[in-house]
Structures are given as structure tokens and as C-alpha cells.
Amino acid sequence: AGARSASSRVIPSRGRARRLCACTMAFLLRAFSSQARDGELPPPNALSGDLPSLPAVSDAGLPSIPAGGDVRASAVGVTVDDDDAPISRSDSGVFDSPGQPTKQRSSSVFGKKKKKRPELTTPRKSTIKASVYEPPNLEVALERMRRKQPHDLKSEEEIGEDGRRTKRLPASIPLDEMMQRFSDGIVFWFIVLRDYLIAFTLLTALSGGLFHLANVANEENGTGWDTLSGLARATYGAVLFWGSNKSKAGEVSDADRDATLAVVALDAVQMLVLCALTVYHFYYKARVNDEVDVNTITIDDYAVEVRGLPENATEASVKAHFEKHCGAVFEVCLGRDVTQVIKLRKRAMALEANADLLEYMLRRAQRLLGQEIENEPNGPEKWKRLWHLAYDKVKKDLVKRGVLPGLAIDFYALVLEVAKDQSLPMSDRTESAARAAKRAMKKGTVGAAGSSNPDDYNPDLIKEKIKALNVKREENADAVAACAQQGFPVVCAWVTFVEEQTCVDCITRVAESKEALKALSFDLLPKEARPRDARAKMIARGEEDIRLYREAPLMPPQKLRIRTAKPPSDVLWENLHFSEKTMWKRKLRSAAIMTFVLLVSLAVIGAAIAANNSLNPYATCADVGAGGELLDCPAIWDLESTSLANPGARADIAPFIEQDTDVFACKAHVEFGVWVADVSAANGFFVNDANASLAAAFRASASDSTSSWSGGIFPDSNVDECAAHVCHHCYCKEKGFSAYNDDVDGLGAFCKEYWDDQLLSVAYLGVAVAVSTVMNLILKELCNQLAYWEHPQSLTKKELAIASYMIAALVVNMAFLPLFMAAQIDALAGIPFLFKGGHPDMSGYWYSDFSNKFAQIVILNAGSFPFTLLTPVVIWRLNRWYFTDKVKSQRELNELTTPPPFLLSERYGQFIAQVVYSLIFSAGIPLVHVAMVVFIAMSIVIDRVMLVRYCANPPRYSAKLAALLIHSMPVAVALHFAVAVWAFGTRDAPSYVVSGVSESSSQAWVNGMKQTDAQYDIGARIARVNGLIPFIGFVAVSSLFVIAEVTLFIRKKLAARSMDLEGCPPLPLVISQKRLTGMSSYKITANPDYKHLFDADGTDEVSEALR
């Protein structure tokens, strides 16, 4: 009848008709929801009787429920509690069918949905906590801190006078004991550090052949420090200079070829060692995982994670579903969208902290002003204060009577007396109270607690602040209650079984369901009648299926996604409602942000390098001195024979120095710091009699300020201007800074331009190094923020994202960008700042320029990276030492003593990045192996001490981050071999050639002419044995890596169909015997990271809504 009444009304539009049908459906669902939840069908007469008549639809669109209507139907998005309350949509939208949300129209210009703050529909049940000031107690805070750290429980005999019930773990805790206490992710981290320390120590020893050959090459070739300086002298660059000169002289022997071949072979052996270590870690990781599983029993051994549930699913219906298909269920925990409540509860805790501080300030003001302290709890502080008051009163009375001698004037007491004098105005009293408090205040007290503002000592003003703060607390509590009244939509569920075998059977049934679905065929049906998705196929199958779930018998079934559960500590509740299907969009945003930051870094560093190249040119002074083959500076400008009194050549060279030129302009005459242009025709230009008339004309033109530059010695070229700057550079460099600074013989003015260039060069390079260093720190913090913005649903995924971004950022910033900036590739020279570095090949000059800087930065990072991870502990300890005596409440003290977390993501990120960019160039720069040994040794010591002494007990990390390392190593080895083809396959290094290739194709000099390979001619490099060996290594490693990845992918898909049985006892027995490791429930109130945000007694609206 009600339905007929509703349908007989005039409906202005189809949209309103659909809304009216939604209201009717809401009432129908309400009518039998209680029976349906219990798995029973409603009785035949459940829908009989008249429905309340619905009002006419207003122009606003949505109808209203009449008085007395209490309609709740979250399945259709309708929630009405009060009389005349309009129907409101849930945050997930109005549903066309149960469990299928429809997107709401965006109210934002940019298409971003704005969530309205929910409003209370009924009065709030809970009340805000009364802010009762709790004085700080260090023992309580330290006991709380120890509970958060990985401490051992003491036996009754070990408990001493201090009463401590825990003891620290030893820093040398063996790995076997670690496996019983920590997760496999933590244990495997220290195994990785141990094994890689041994591996890189071995790699350093194997690199001894290259170190020895470089030393011999430098001595035999006489390679000067101007040509190859600093750390570059211990690189393959020394071999290239030596080999080039030997080829030029025609002295290359088989012994020389054997020496370089031995270096190449030892390098290949090093990579084989790392490949073997990677394979060993792959299998050992599985073994460690098994050992940890055997030694520990965790709740996830009995649990599965369920996705695809409708938002109104209940624990009872989910439990009934899995008990029907699998067996006895111990607990069902529904994962709900509680993000907004978590934010509000965190804000509530901040407001409570402010209330604590105001309570402290109120008590302090009342004590200083001599007023009665309101609501002061009985305790030591109260009785101590009362005793002091009584003592001061008796002492003053005895002094007044003459029993005690008069004491010296106590200005503090006088000021305090003024504060307590009630006859004075409150402004005078509070000012005196502020002075008295400032005098008695401990040094370093900051914030409102350390304020000397008289208003902070006025009880009336403080009470007003407390009142205003309580209003905010009430509003925040209303918002929390409104969220609870609106309801928390179900996102997922964790089903914990009584028996481990039941959990295994559940996963097996899921796999069987998928296989059965694949075997179905609907080819005999018409095309339009065939099921279109898996859910429709399972319904058409007509059999009971574990992946088909119904919240109520008459509701459409939902397709479930069931998989093995992760540990409860791995769950990020605030991100549960974010869809995994849109994760690629968030990752794309992260990649865009990371790219932008790297481009900014590239622009700044590139600008600094470009500015450095805009300075005057320079060249190796040994090649342009007296008797120089191409440039003989004394033969053109004999600066050594000049002085302030007899300028001579100084005056002749000055016009050339005044011309604007730079490194780019002289690029054709100076290559990699070596003068290559022949200007021998200019020798004696200013001193030979044959050139007297030309020299006189040049001097006359130069002295005439009105005439323009004539072009110098060679009017059609700038080679003479470049030569003049090089000669000026070498002369001033030889005289030294002290002669310039003391203005010896006029050098202060003559060499000013040279020393200005030196200062600017240091500044530009300093800016580049500083920006690179700062950018590494920024990228490290940015990786954490990007992972946070991606909203992963588990801590493991968040840690994996942090490590991945850190690896990509550091490798690009440390290896690829510097390499591309140093390279000279004409086809790509149009890209700003890249591929214009002047090095078309990895020649000896490339090592002098690139490898010297790269090795320095790698060594710097190796020493600094471990200490950056130690920084949070250092800051935490300093804060405890400095602020412990200055906190004003127990809450502040608890926060101050909370230990920092032990994060594996940053450790793996830095470690893998350091390994990857070191291995890329280690073929020619073996010094990076030494840096890695130092880095790993420091990491072992620092991480062990941090874990067992200072950091909080880490979550139960899985081996995902270790798997990231294992999968990254073959890529690093392949990149190493690829770079080694270019490094070892160059012409400058003595090498044997492949059979059938002429010997001349391996020579750097042929018939007195320098030979070079085409930039992209890989065939010429692998035709030499030195280049062929790493090329074979590259092909082998790359091929095996691809095969291994495909195989592992297939194995992973097959493994998802089953679950290993570990033989765990029944879960209730494990819990009763206290053998369970980690958390005993998936509920948010059992998670130590979230339980402080929820009511302990479970009587508020949020606790009721979560049930």
C-alpha cells in the first residue's frame, strides 16, 4: 500500500523518481536487515503493512523523511536519524546497486573532491577529558621508553635497587639470537652488511693489479700532476697515458698487453664474485625467512586479507562466510576508513597538550600570587608546597619576635611579597610574579612555560584561554562523534582462523576457484548473454564459491579478493581507503616531482660549470714553456725578463690579455688542458729584427686608445689571444700567491686577472659541490615525502617506495648526470647543460677531469651516509639531555623520551645506491671499492648500536627490501660491464686483438698519426680482447637476469595459489602460552601506533562504530 501510495504521487522528473526509489529501497532493507545479517530470510509478512507516506519532492531535489522516521541504509547511502532531517549521502557516494558506488560530482574547479565536515545528527555521548595536570616523572617516562625499545626482561634475581625490569641487548648479539627476536627483514640486513663487507674487501684486493699497473705507468711515463692529479693517478687513466705514449714511440710489447689483460680479467672475476653473492643471498634469504618463521609464531600465520567487501559488511556475516567455506574463525577484524578520525584524534591530543600547559601556567600563577590552587591533586607536590608555606610563615614570625637573627635582604622574596599583596592592582602583582618566575626559572626554559609576559601570570586571563581552548576541544570532539555517527565504510577485512591448516585450506580454495573459473566456457551462449567479468561468471556457474560474498541473502553477491595477510604492524590504517588501482597516477606524480628537482639541480650545477668555463683558458705549463713544440711562451713573450721598471713583454702581452676570451672560445686550441695549436710562427715576433716594423705598428696601435683591436699577431684567428692567456696563466702561477699579494715587482696589478679567475673558479666549483651535496640531502627527505603522498596501504610498500626513489635519485644525481655533463655527444648537444663537456671518449683526460671529482664525492658519501642515519639518535639524545629538566608536564616528557625509529628504507636506499653508482665506474676507478669497505664497516657498527641501544623496537619487516637489493645487483653488474667495454676497449690501452683483425686497429698511433675510434663504433672496441671480455660479461649477465626475472615471476604467480604449512599450534593455545610474537590482533585498538588515538574503555561513539 505504501509502495502504491508512493508511486501514485506526481514525480516531476526521472532523477527524483530514482531518488524516491532509493528511499523506498532503504526502508525495505531496514525492514529485514536484522534477519538477513543472521543468515535468515525475512518472514513472508515482513514487508506487509503500510509504509509511512513519503512527502512530496521539493524543488531542492531530495525528499525528507517524516517525523518518527529512523532510516539507516548505508548500502544505498541513506542515513537519517532526526525528524525532518534531509537525506544525506555518504562519502563514498550514492549507490546504483548495493556495493557499487557512483562517483559524486566534484565541487572543485580543479576536479578534486572536497569532503564536507560531518555534522552531529544526535547529541554526543562522550565528553572531553578533563585536563588534569600531571607533573613530569622521569622514571615513568624512562620505563615507557624501555618498553618501546628491544630490551630483555630481567629475572626476579636480576632486578636491582633501581627497580628496572628490563636490560639492554648486547651490541654483539649473534644472528641466531636475532632470528628469535626480530623479523627476517632486520636479520637479513645485517647478513647483507656482513657479506658485502667481505665481498668488497676481496674486490679491493683483486683491484691491487690495477693499482700496481697505474703506479708503474705513472713512473715509466713520467705523468705529471698537471696531467693527472689527485685520486685520478690511481685509476685506469694512468694506464691510458702510458699506453698512448708507448704506442706513439712504437714500444708496445706483449708484456704490456698481458698486464692490461690481467687487469681486465681480474675485473671480470670481481663481477663474478658479486653475481655469486647475489645468487647466494637469493637462496639464503629464503632460508632465513624459513628459520624466522620456525622460531617465531605470528598472527599472520593464521590470517588472510579480504578485499572487495561491501561498505556495510559486518564481522558476523564475514565470519559466517569463511566458517562455511573454510573452518573455525578466531577473529574477524574489519578494516575501515578511519583517516579523518585519526587526523581529528591527533588534533585532539595536541589540544590536550596545550590544555596541560595552560593548567601548569594556571597553577604557577596561583602559587606565585598566593591564591588557592584549584583542583590540586593530593601528592608530594601539594604537601611540599604547603610545608614551605608553613615554614616561611613560622620563620618570619620568629624573626619578627627576635628569636632568630635578621637575614640578608632576599630580593626574590620581596618581589614575591608584592605579587601576593592583594591590595595592589592585578597588573602590578602579575608583573612582580613574572619577575619572580623569571628569576627562579631554569635556564633554557622556552615557550609559554618560559614566558615573562605578565599576562601569562594572570589567572583570569589564563582561565579565559582554557575556556577558549575547551571550546575548540568540544568542536573537535563533535567532529569525531559526527564521523562515528556517519559510519566508517568497510575497506577490507582480516580473517584469523583458529588453525593454521584452515588458513592454508582457505588459500587453496581460492586457487581452486580461480582454476575452475578459467575452465568455464560460455561459447554456446549468445554473445550478448555471455558473462562479461569474473563476478558474473561465478554467479552463472551456480555453485557456492569462497570468492562470492553476500551480506544478506537478497543482496547481489560481491567478488572477493583473498590473499595471505601481512603482519598487523605492517598495516597503515590511514591509507586503507586509497585504491591500489590508481597507485600508478600517484607514482607518476612522484616521478614528475623527482624529475623537476633533479632538473633544478642540473640547472644550478650546469650554470656553475658554465660560469667556470667562461673564465680565461689555461693549459699544462710544462708543454708551453721554453722549447715548447707547439707553443713556446718565452719565445713570444719573455715575461721572466721583465720587471716593474722594465715592463717589456708585460706591455706587449697586455693588449692580448685585455681581449675577452674564455675556455669555450679557445676550445679548438686547448683540449683537456693541453695546448694543441701550432703557433711556432709567432716565435720572436716582438724581438726579431725581421718583425721590427710589424711589432712597432702593433705597439703603436695598442697604445692608441681610439683605435680598435687589430687582431694581434694572427688577425684571422684568436689563437694568439688564447696563447697569451695561457702564457700569462703559467707565469703568474709560477710566481705564486705570496708575490701577488705582496705586490712584488708590480705583480699585484699584472697578475690580478689570473688570481681573480682562480678565486672565481674555486667559488663556482664550490657552488657545484655544495648544491650536489645539499641536493642529496633534499632528495633523501623528498623520497620520504613522496612515499607519504602515494598513500601506500602497508608499511612495507611505503618503505619499498622510499628505498626505490632514493636509489633512483642518488644514482641519477651521482652517476648519470655528472657523466652526461662531462660527455661530448654532438647529436645530443642541443639538450641544455648536457653532452657538451668536451669528452667524446673515456680517455686519460676524462679520468683526470671526471674520475677525480667522482672518487672524491664517493669517498665523502661513504663517510657521511652512515652518520646521516645516526643523526636522529644524536638529536634525540641532545634533546633529552638539554630539555629533560625543562619540561612542564608528563606528556612533554613522554614525547621527549620516545626513541627514534629504526628505518630500513633509508638504509637500503643509501646502500643500494652507493653500490650501484660505485660499480658502474669501478672498472676504471677501483678506489670506490675502498670507499665501500669503509662505508659498510661503519654501517655495521652504527646500525648495531642504534638497534639494540637507542632506537624503538622495529616493526616486523619482511624481506622485500632485501629482494630489492638482490634484483638490483644484476643491473649494476650489467651496467659495470657496459661501461667497462668503453673503458677497457679504448685504443690507448695496449690490447690483443681478435683473430682476423689487423694489429693496427688496436694501436693509438699509426705512422705518427693519432688514431681514434668513432664514438658509436662498438665493433672496434669488442674487436680488442680487452673490450670483448666485458662485452661477453654484459651479454651473459643481461640474458641470465632476464631469464631469472621471468622465471621468478612465473614462480610467484604459482606460489600465490598455495601457502606453506609451518605446523603452528592452534592460535588460542599459542596466545595462552604467550608464544605469539608481535601483535595478537589486527584491530586498530591493538596496534601500538594507533591505540593511543582511541578511547581505552571503548565507550565513545568511535569505539561503538568500530565494533
Side-chain angles (χ1 to χ4, degrees):
R4 288 193 298 271
S5 175
S7 61
S8 63
R9 296 182 181 274
V10 178
I11 305 298
S13 67
R14 291 184 180 179
R16 294 174 181 174
R18 283 196 297 268
R19 297 188 188 103
L20 190 57
C21 290
C23 298
T24 306
M25 189 60 172
F27 188 87
L28 294 176
L29 289 172
R30 175 65 175 172
F32 59 83
S33 60
S34 59
Q35 293 92 343
R37 287 194 184 97
D38 296 332
E40 301 176 2
L41 287 174
N45 59 349
L47 302 181
S48 63
D50 293 336
L51 297 177
S53 58
L54 297 176
V57 179
S58 63
D59 293 337
L62 289 178
S64 300
I65 298 297
D70 180 15
V71 179
R72 297 175 183 269
S74 59
V76 292
V78 180
T79 305
V80 179
D81 295 300
D82 296 337
D83 298 341
D84 301 327
I87 295 178
S88 61
R89 295 184 175 95
S90 63
D91 287 342
S92 57
V94 177
F95 291 82
D96 289 338
S97 61
Q100 301 295 326
T102 307
K103 293 183 179 180
Q104 292 182 349
R105 292 184 179 180
S106 172
S107 58
S108 170
V109 177
F110 299 100
K112 186 176 181 181
K113 185 194 295 184
K114 293 182 179 179
K115 283 189 176 182
K116 293 183 178 180
R117 170 172 274 188
E119 297 181 358
L120 282 173
T121 56
T122 59
R124 192 179 78 239
K125 297 179 182 179
S126 60
T127 58
I128 63 172
K129 295 180 180 179
S131 180
V132 178
Y133 174 70
E134 184 180 0
N137 187 315
L138 183 59
E139 288 302 320
V140 173
L142 292 178
E143 184 64 27
R144 174 181 174 273
M145 177 193 73
R146 296 186 196 105
R147 288 198 304 268
K148 290 181 173 292
Q149 292 176 323
H151 283 201
D152 256 341
L153 290 176
K154 291 182 179 179
S155 63
E156 294 296 332
E157 294 78 13
E158 292 177 324
I159 298 176
E161 297 180 355
D162 56 2
R164 294 183 181 178
R165 297 185 173 274
T166 61
K167 60 181 179 181
R168 289 177 174 175
L169 298 176
S172 58
I173 178 174
L175 291 176
D176 293 339
E177 188 175 344
M178 271 191 175
M179 292 180 185
Q180 301 176 9
R181 183 175 299 275
F182 301 106
S183 65
D184 53 335
I186 295 292
V187 174
F188 201 77
W189 166 244
F190 288 98
I191 293 175
V192 164
L193 291 180
R194 179 199 65 188
D195 293 348
Y196 272 88
L197 178 62
I198 297 173
F200 274 98
T201 303
L202 180 60
L203 263 60
T204 302
L206 293 175
S207 301
L210 179 53
F211 291 136
H212 173 71
L213 182 59
N215 183 47
V216 171
N218 286 327
E219 291 180 357
E220 290 186 2
N221 190 51
T223 306
W225 285 81
D226 286 342
T227 303
L228 203 60
S229 62
L231 300 176
R233 298 183 67 82
T235 64
Y236 201 67
V239 178
L240 298 183
F241 282 116
W242 167 73
S244 177
N245 287 338
K246 277 213 163 193
S247 176
K248 185 176 182 180
E251 299 175 354
V252 178
S253 63
D254 286 346
D256 300 330
R257 297 185 180 95
D258 290 338
T260 56
L261 182 60
V263 170
V264 175
L266 287 175
D267 179 77
V269 171
Q270 295 174 27
M271 296 304 104
L272 290 178
V273 169
L274 291 179
C275 290
L277 180 61
T278 302
V279 175
Y280 166 74
H281 277 165
F282 175 78
Y283 290 102
Y284 191 68
K285 178 176 72 71
R287 195 179 107 191
V288 170
N289 186 26
D290 294 340
E291 290 182 2
V292 171
D293 284 342
V294 169
N295 292 324
T296 59
I297 301 176
T298 56
I299 192 73
D300 51 284
D301 292 331
Y302 303 84
V304 294
E305 180 182 343
V306 184
R307 295 260 173 185
L309 291 167
E311 292 188 351
N312 63 328
T314 61
E315 293 182 3
S317 59
V318 175
K319 182 177 182 180
H321 175 81
F322 281 91
E323 285 186 336
K324 176 181 178 181
H325 289 277
C326 302
V329 173
F330 179 78
E331 179 188 57
V332 173
C333 175
L334 297 179
R336 299 178 181 270
D337 180 6
V338 292
T339 304
Q340 194 168 4
V341 169
I342 290 176
K343 293 179 181 178
L344 291 171
R345 281 291 174 85
K346 288 181 178 180
R347 183 171 183 267
M349 293 189 67
L351 294 175
E352 288 177 14
N354 292 339
D356 281 354
L357 181 59
L358 288 175
E359 287 289 342
Y360 161 77
M361 293 171 61
L362 179 60
R363 294 175 187 275
R364 179 182 63 181
Q366 290 173 339
R367 183 175 63 252
L368 293 174
L369 297 176
Q371 298 180 359
E372 180 182 356
I373 298 179
E374 301 175 5
N375 302 322
E376 184 179 16
N378 290 325
E381 292 293 330
K382 177 180 179 180
W383 298 111
K384 181 179 178 181
R385 182 180 62 81
L386 295 178
W387 184 87
H388 275 296
L389 289 176
Y391 173 79
D392 291 342
K393 183 177 181 181
V394 172
K395 185 175 70 172
K396 291 177 184 177
D397 185 58
L398 292 176
V399 171
K400 187 176 181 180
R401 295 182 182 183
V403 177
L404 292 178
L407 302 177
I409 297 176
D410 188 350
F411 291 99
Y412 173 74
L414 292 177
V415 173
L416 204 57
E417 286 295 331
V418 173
K420 295 180 179 180
D421 190 352
Q422 298 183 6
S423 63
L424 296 175
M426 181 58 74
S427 58
D428 295 341
R429 295 176 63 192
T430 54
E431 187 174 353
S432 298
R435 286 202 299 267
K438 194 68 176 178
R439 183 181 180 90
M441 198 174 295
K442 294 179 180 179
K443 185 178 180 182
T445 304
V446 295
S451 172
S452 58
N453 185 356
D455 290 343
D456 291 334
Y457 296 86
N458 189 328
D460 295 333
L461 296 179
I462 297 175
K463 289 178 181 179
E464 291 179 4
K465 292 180 180 179
I466 294 176
K467 184 178 179 181
L469 182 62
N470 286 336
V471 172
K472 293 182 180 180
R473 295 177 66 189
E474 291 284 353
E475 293 175 350
N476 193 77
D478 288 344
V480 172
C483 288
Q485 292 175 8
Q486 188 183 44
F488 304 119
V490 174
V491 179
C492 65
W494 293 274
V495 180
T496 307
F497 297 97
V498 175
E499 297 282 352
E500 183 192 14
Q501 181 63 55
T502 310
C503 185
V504 175
D505 293 342
C506 178
I507 298 299
T508 303
R509 285 184 173 85
V510 171
E512 292 173 351
S513 170
K514 293 179 180 178
E515 291 297 325
L517 198 64
K518 291 180 181 178
L520 289 178
S521 176
F522 299 93
D523 295 339
L524 298 178
L525 294 177
K527 187 175 182 180
E528 60 274 6
R530 295 175 187 174
R532 297 182 179 274
D533 53 18
R535 172 175 169 270
K537 290 179 180 179
M538 286 189 288
I539 295 174
R541 183 185 174 196
E543 299 179 10
E544 292 290 340
D545 196 309
I546 190 175
R547 294 193 296 152
L548 272 183
Y549 170 84
R550 285 180 173 88
E551 177 63 22
L554 296 183
M555 295 182 68
Q558 303 296 314
K559 175 179 171 289
L560 301 182
R561 301 187 302 276
I562 305 172
R563 60 188 178 187
T564 55
K566 302 300 181 184
S569 60
D570 198 39
V571 179
L572 296 178
W573 280 80
E574 60 269 27
N575 295 337
L576 284 181
H577 65 290
F578 285 94
S579 173
E580 293 182 343
K581 295 181 180 179
T582 58
M583 176 61 77
W584 67 272
K585 296 181 181 179
R586 301 193 288 273
K587 286 191 174 294
L588 187 62
R589 177 184 62 186
S590 299
I593 295 175
M594 184 72 72
T595 302
F596 174 76
V597 174
L598 290 174
L599 289 177
V600 171
S601 172
L602 172 64
V604 176
I605 296 175
I609 295 177
N612 187 63
N613 290 334
S614 67
L615 302 177
N616 292 323
Y618 60 91
T620 304
C621 295
D623 297 336
V624 298
E629 181 180 357
L630 300 177
L631 172 60
D632 186 348
C633 287
I636 306 175
W637 300 282
D638 188 9
L639 298 176
E640 290 292 342
S641 63
T642 62
S643 63
L644 181 62
N646 182 25
R650 293 188 187 181
D652 293 336
I653 202 174
F656 295 90
I657 301 298
E658 292 174 358
Q659 306 307 312
D660 291 332
T661 188
D662 54 35
V663 173
F664 282 118
C666 298
K667 192 175 182 179
H669 317 308
V670 182
E671 294 182 0
F672 313 122
V674 177
W675 184 267
V676 296
D678 186 3
V679 290
S680 57
N683 292 349
F685 179 81
F686 292 101
V687 294
N688 290 347
D689 294 338
N691 299 325
S693 59
L694 294 176
F698 172 80
R699 289 175 178 137
S701 175
S703 61
D704 186 2
S705 59
T706 60
S707 61
S708 59
W709 175 246
S710 61
I713 301 174
F714 304 103
D716 298 331
S717 173
N718 67 341
V719 64
D720 46 354
E721 289 92 333
C722 295
H725 278 96
V726 169
C727 295
H728 178 259
H729 167 93
C730 293
Y731 174 74
C732 293
K733 179 181 179 180
E734 182 183 358
K735 294 301 180 182
F737 178 76
S738 59
Y740 159 75
N741 191 50
D742 298 336
D743 197 16
V744 175
D745 203 17
L747 292 178
F750 182 70
C751 293
K752 184 178 186 304
E753 185 174 354
Y754 166 78
W755 289 108
D756 287 346
D757 280 1
Q758 297 303 304
L759 180 62
L760 289 174
S761 178
V762 171
Y764 293 147
L765 294 180
V767 168
V769 173
V771 169
S772 179
T773 303
V774 172
M775 194 56 61
N776 284 340
L777 298 176
I778 292 175
L779 289 173
K780 176 183 172 182
E781 296 302 323
L782 180 62
C783 292
N784 288 276
Q785 192 61 40
L786 291 178
Y788 171 79
W789 285 337
E790 287 182 2
H791 303 291
Q793 296 178 351
S794 67
L795 179 63
T796 297
K797 291 182 179 179
K798 180 181 179 181
E799 296 278 284
L800 198 61
I802 293 174
S804 301
Y805 288 135
M806 194 172 295
I807 294 167
L810 290 178
V811 170
V812 170
N813 198 45
M814 285 292 302
F816 292 113
L817 286 184
L819 178 66
F820 295 158
M821 294 175 72
Q824 179 67 44
I825 302 178
D826 295 335
L828 303 176
I831 302 176
F833 305 115
L834 300 180
F835 307 110
K836 294 182 283 290
H839 295 284
D841 202 350
M842 296 176 68
S843 63
Y845 296 110
W846 179 86
Y847 284 94
S848 180
D849 181 20
F850 175 84
S851 69
N852 200 22
K853 301 172 186 176
F854 177 75
Q856 291 174 3
I857 296 177
V858 170
I859 293 173
L860 179 64
N861 288 346
S864 62
F865 275 1
F867 286 103
T868 60
L869 298 175
L870 186 61
T871 302
V873 171
V874 174
I875 294 176
W876 175 63
R877 294 289 295 179
L878 289 175
N879 286 337
R880 279 185 54 191
W881 168 75
Y882 187 74
F883 290 107
T884 296
D885 296 334
K886 302 172 179 63
V887 296
K888 301 305 178 184
S889 68
Q890 185 66 38
R891 186 190 300 272
E892 291 182 10
L893 190 57
N894 288 343
E895 293 177 358
L896 187 64
T897 56
T898 300
F902 187 85
L903 301 177
L904 275 186
S905 56
E906 296 183 5
R907 287 167 168 79
Y908 267 107
Q910 290 184 358
F911 179 81
I912 297 175
Q914 183 92 351
V915 170
V916 170
Y917 64 65
S918 296
L919 288 181
I920 289 176
F921 300 110
S922 64
I925 314 174
L927 283 171
V928 296
H929 294 158
V930 182
M932 284 301 303
V933 171
V934 175
F935 168 70
I936 298 172
M938 293 174 61
S939 297
I940 291 176
V941 175
I942 290 175
D943 284 357
R944 275 186 167 268
V945 173
M946 288 180 64
L947 176 63
V948 302
R949 295 296 177 88
Y950 300 108
C951 289
N953 203 20
R956 297 200 62 80
Y957 283 108
S958 66
K960 288 287 187 180
L961 291 170
L964 179 63
L965 169 64
I966 292 172
H967 289 271
S968 300
M969 285 306 301
V971 177
V973 172
L975 290 174
H976 171 93
F977 277 131
V979 174
V981 172
W982 251 252
F984 294 146
T986 181
R987 281 179 175 268
D988 290 341
S991 175
Y992 292 105
V993 294
V994 179
S995 177
V997 179
S998 64
E999 194 72 29
S1000 61
S1001 64
S1002 176
Q1003 298 293 328
W1005 291 81
V1006 176
N1007 299 326
M1009 299 294 293
K1010 176 68 175 175
Q1011 305 296 312
T1012 58
D1013 294 324
Q1015 198 169 35
Y1016 303 105
D1017 189 3
I1018 187 175
R1021 297 177 186 274
I1022 63 177
R1024 306 175 190 115
V1025 176
N1026 288 358
L1028 180 62
I1029 292 176
F1031 179 76
I1032 294 173
F1034 170 76
V1035 174
V1037 171
S1038 301
S1039 303
L1040 292 175
F1041 174 68
V1042 172
I1043 295 172
E1045 286 295 319
V1046 173
T1047 304
L1048 291 175
F1049 177 78
I1050 296 174
R1051 284 181 57 186
K1052 183 178 179 181
K1053 289 294 184 182
L1054 295 176
R1057 302 178 181 179
S1058 61
M1059 177 180 173
D1060 294 334
L1061 184 65
E1062 300 173 8
C1064 299
L1067 182 57
L1069 179 62
V1070 173
I1071 294 177
S1072 63
Q1073 295 178 349
K1074 298 182 179 180
R1075 295 172 57 189
L1076 192 67
T1077 302
M1079 296 163 52
S1080 59
S1081 174
Y1082 278 89
K1083 292 185 180 297
I1084 191 172
T1085 51
N1087 193 317
D1089 293 332
Y1090 300 97
K1091 67 179 182 180
H1092 64 286
L1093 300 174
F1094 296 88
D1095 193 9
D1097 55 12
T1099 58
D1100 63 343
E1101 290 89 344
V1102 174
S1103 300
E1104 293 179 359
L1106 289 176
R1107 292 194 184 116

